[in-house]
Amino acid sequence: VQLQASGGGLVQAGGSLRLSCAASGKAYGMGWFRQAPGKDREFVAACSWSGISTYYADSVKGRFTISRDNEKNTVYLQMNSLRPDDTAVYYCAKAKVYGMDLTQGPTYAYWGQGTQVTVSS
């Protein structure tokens, strides 16, 4: 299984970015996590294998939207109204089985290489 994340960059506060993550293999739940300098990795958003069930961290609810296209084996994270505290390396991840808590890091067996998102004030 390989995951390739893309779409990060530098944006001003209030702006938008869309991250993409192409994943090979069978469709399981997928998630996005982020890690800012000096901080622990934190959950951002996740969706079930069908894309019907979605989960968000409180800090991004109403601003970020996760979606997936299983025909393209790709999951997306649309990020709107970005704030400086959204600055982090964003990682996509793929779960290893069905039915586990997609908000928790140990659920995921496969991780992408990370893409930097920087939001300037």
Side-chain angles (χ1 to χ4, degrees):
V1 175
Q2 294 184 330
L3 289 83
Q4 183 69 38
S6 61
L10 173 63
V11 64
Q12 289 187 331
S16 298
L17 284 174
R18 188 175 81 153
L19 306 183
S20 299
C21 178
S24 62
K26 191 174 180 180
Y28 287 108
M30 301 247 341
W32 288 94
F33 289 74
R34 67 186 181 188
Q35 187 167 22
K39 294 187 177 181
D40 293 335
R41 182 182 65 193
E42 65 174 358
F43 167 74
V44 176
C47 65
S48 61
W49 70 272
S50 65
I52 293 175
S53 298
T54 57
Y55 311 88
Y56 296 95
D58 288 343
S59 59
V60 306
K61 278 181 183 176
R63 301 187 299 122
F64 291 11
T65 302
I66 189 170
S67 61
R68 69 189 296 164
D69 183 338
N70 284 340
E71 290 188 0
K72 296 181 179 179
N73 288 336
T74 300
V75 64
Y76 305 96
L77 185 68
Q78 178 66 43
M79 306 186 293
N80 298 329
S81 302
L82 283 161
R83 310 184 305 217
D85 61 359
D86 292 318
T87 295
V89 177
Y90 284 70
Y91 298 91
C92 64
K94 185 173 181 178
K96 49 191 170 184
V97 294
Y98 298 117
M100 295 180 70
D101 185 347
L102 294 176
T103 68
Q104 301 298 312
T107 291
Y108 298 89
Y110 310 102
W111 294 82
Q113 84 285 6
T115 185
Q116 177 71 47
V117 172
T118 303
V119 185
S120 63
S121 57

